[in-house]
Amino acid sequence: MRRALVLLLLLLTGCEATQRSYSVTAEFTDVLDLVPMAAVKVNDVTVGSVEEITLRGFVAVVRMKLSEGVDLPDNATAAIRQSSLLGEKFVALAAPAGQAGQAGQGKLGNGDLIGLDRTRQGAEVEEVLAALGLLLNGGGLAQLKTINQEVVKALTGREGDAKGALHELDRFITGLDAQKAEIVKTIEALDRLAAGLATQTEVIGNALDALAPGLTVLAQQREQLTDALVALRDLSEVGVRVIDASAKDTVASLKALQPILDNLVAAGDALPKGIDFALTFPFPPNAQKAITGDFVRLHATLDLDAASILANLMASAGGAPLPALPQLPLPQLPTLPLPSLPPLPLPSLPPLPLPTVLPSGLLPSLPGLPPILPGVRLGRSDPMTGEVAGMRGGLSALLIGGEPA
């Protein structure tokens, strides 16, 4: 009866413990010889046990059961440690070390996963003994002694240089550390460049194949290229001698050109206008539009009013009377006896016929002349082409407006 009561109490206690616990899973690269039912500790206090160890690819998955009162942050870490030198393995859970401000983030709960980035395992005693045996069995002591002796020989008498080299190396490393971000950016840029070149491997291969014939031709013409470079060097030497010998003459020629250039600058716009007129001499440039075939269209109107001509002459003279010329004394010439010449008969000239009607405005009204008609037009111009038809006849025909030619 007592045994039954004890068993019942144990079952009730187990059920209560099961209800007050939660499961957490951790991933390890190596669980060593960890076995199920191994202890799970926090600060060397057992808070749970390992329920199951499974393999997922090359990762060992350890499922643990923790008591409900275990309070750990959501970013807790897990490590496989050993209770003593030959003791059993257990899983140690802890808050992330050296990450102040993150220890209180979240809370580890049922079903949470502690990834590979937050798990680790301690060194095995066998690994430590194996490394120690390798060192003690001549695997490293002899080499270490040789290295020490050679370093001493190399540094003997050069302590100052070695110290300076170490200081320079320290500054170099400090500079590299200060430019760490730029170095990372450069490496990333090189990575992008390499990725771009990798996508264009075929294009680069075709370009290299296309360069091969050109490189072959250059290799074949190597001697000619060398001779050309040597000749170019000789040409430069000759050019330097010529420039040195003609420097004064060149400067003198430039100085002689200065007045010409000054006159060209002073000419300004007149020079291109003069050149334009010289191409069409003796006609002005705008006369090209009047030339049609073998004749030139011309229209001219002449004002032959004598009164206007005299008025213009007086106006050009300023309206002032002409100055009287001084009377110069003339020398008294001796009188020479002249022979008497016989009288010569003079022919009588017939009177010139004048028109009975003169165009007005051509001449001013003079006594003994008939009235004058309005002005004279020397030609008739075509209103469409501007061509002028000349007048036919003598002076009288011109004055009275004769028939067109």
Side-chain angles (χ1 to χ4, degrees):
M1 183 68 180
R2 292 179 180 178
R3 293 179 179 177
L5 290 175
V6 173
L7 181 60
L8 180 60
L9 290 175
L10 290 175
L11 291 174
L12 292 176
T13 304
C15 292
E16 184 178 0
T18 303
Q19 292 176 356
R20 294 182 181 179
S21 62
Y22 61 94
S23 297
V24 175
T25 305
E27 296 178 344
F28 294 91
T29 57
D30 189 359
V31 293
L32 304 176
D33 55 352
L34 184 70
V35 295
M37 300 306 296
V40 179
K41 297 182 180 183
V42 176
N43 295 329
D44 293 332
V45 177
T46 302
V47 296
S49 61
V50 176
E51 286 187 324
E52 184 183 10
I53 301 175
T54 59
L55 188 63
R56 184 188 303 162
F58 294 95
V59 177
V61 180
V62 178
R63 189 173 76 245
M64 300 168 287
K65 181 186 293 184
L66 305 178
S67 299
E68 187 178 5
V70 177
D71 188 7
L72 289 172
D74 191 44
N75 56 350
T77 62
I80 298 178
R81 293 182 179 176
Q82 198 168 1
S83 58
S84 62
L85 186 60
L86 299 176
E88 64 177 357
K89 301 294 191 301
F90 67 93
V91 179
L93 299 179
Q99 298 184 9
Q102 296 183 1
Q105 293 182 358
K107 183 177 180 180
L108 191 66
N110 186 36
D112 287 347
L113 174 66
I114 301 176
L116 289 174
D117 57 339
R118 289 182 287 135
T119 61
R120 63 184 184 276
Q121 59 276 352
E124 283 287 288
V125 177
E126 292 83 356
E127 295 177 357
V128 176
L129 293 178
L132 183 60
L134 179 63
L135 182 63
L136 297 177
N137 289 331
L141 290 179
Q143 290 82 352
L144 184 60
K145 180 180 179 182
T146 304
I147 293 172
N148 187 22
Q149 292 176 352
E150 294 298 328
V151 169
V152 170
K153 291 180 181 178
L155 296 180
T156 301
R158 301 183 181 89
E159 292 81 1
D161 297 338
K163 187 182 295 185
L166 291 177
H167 286 304
E168 293 295 333
L169 182 61
D170 180 67
R171 284 197 293 269
F172 175 70
I173 295 175
T174 303
L176 290 179
D177 183 69
Q179 299 179 0
K180 180 170 60 178
E182 289 76 7
I183 294 173
V184 172
K185 291 180 181 179
T186 303
I187 294 174
E188 292 177 352
L190 288 175
D191 180 69
R192 290 192 297 270
L193 176 62
L197 293 177
T199 58
Q200 298 182 357
T201 304
E202 184 177 357
V203 178
I204 296 173
N206 294 333
L208 293 176
D209 294 338
L211 285 175
L215 295 176
T216 303
V217 173
L218 290 177
Q220 294 175 354
Q221 297 181 353
R222 179 178 178 180
E223 296 181 359
Q224 290 83 347
L225 293 175
T226 304
D227 296 339
L229 293 176
V230 173
L232 184 61
R233 182 196 62 187
D234 298 338
L235 177 62
S236 64
E237 294 177 356
V238 174
V240 169
R241 289 200 303 270
V242 171
I243 293 174
D244 292 339
S246 61
K248 295 181 179 179
D249 296 337
T250 303
V251 173
S253 300
L254 294 176
K255 290 181 179 179
L257 285 175
Q258 184 176 357
I260 300 175
L261 298 177
D262 294 339
N263 293 330
L264 290 177
V265 173
D269 297 337
L271 180 61
K273 292 180 180 179
I275 295 175
D276 189 17
F277 178 76
L279 297 176
T280 60
F281 182 81
F283 301 101
N286 55 4
Q288 295 179 355
K289 298 180 180 179
I291 298 175
T292 302
D294 56 351
F295 63 91
V296 178
R297 297 189 299 271
L298 178 64
H299 174 74
T301 301
L302 301 179
D303 187 3
L304 301 180
D305 190 356
S308 300
I309 295 173
L310 293 176
N312 293 333
L313 292 176
M314 294 298 294
S316 63
L322 296 176
L325 297 176
Q327 295 181 356
L328 299 176
L330 297 177
Q332 294 293 332
L333 298 176
T335 58
L336 298 175
L338 296 176
S340 59
L341 299 174
L344 299 175
L346 297 177
S348 60
L349 299 176
L352 296 175
L354 294 176
T356 58
V357 179
L358 292 176
S360 176
L362 177 63
L363 295 174
S365 298
L366 298 176
L369 293 177
I372 301 175
L373 296 175
V376 177
R377 187 180 180 91
L378 293 183
R380 298 186 179 92
S381 61
D382 192 337
M384 297 298 293
T385 63
E387 182 180 357
V388 176
M391 304 303 296
R392 181 172 54 192
L395 178 61
S396 60
L398 178 62
L399 294 177
I400 62 175
E403 297 180 356

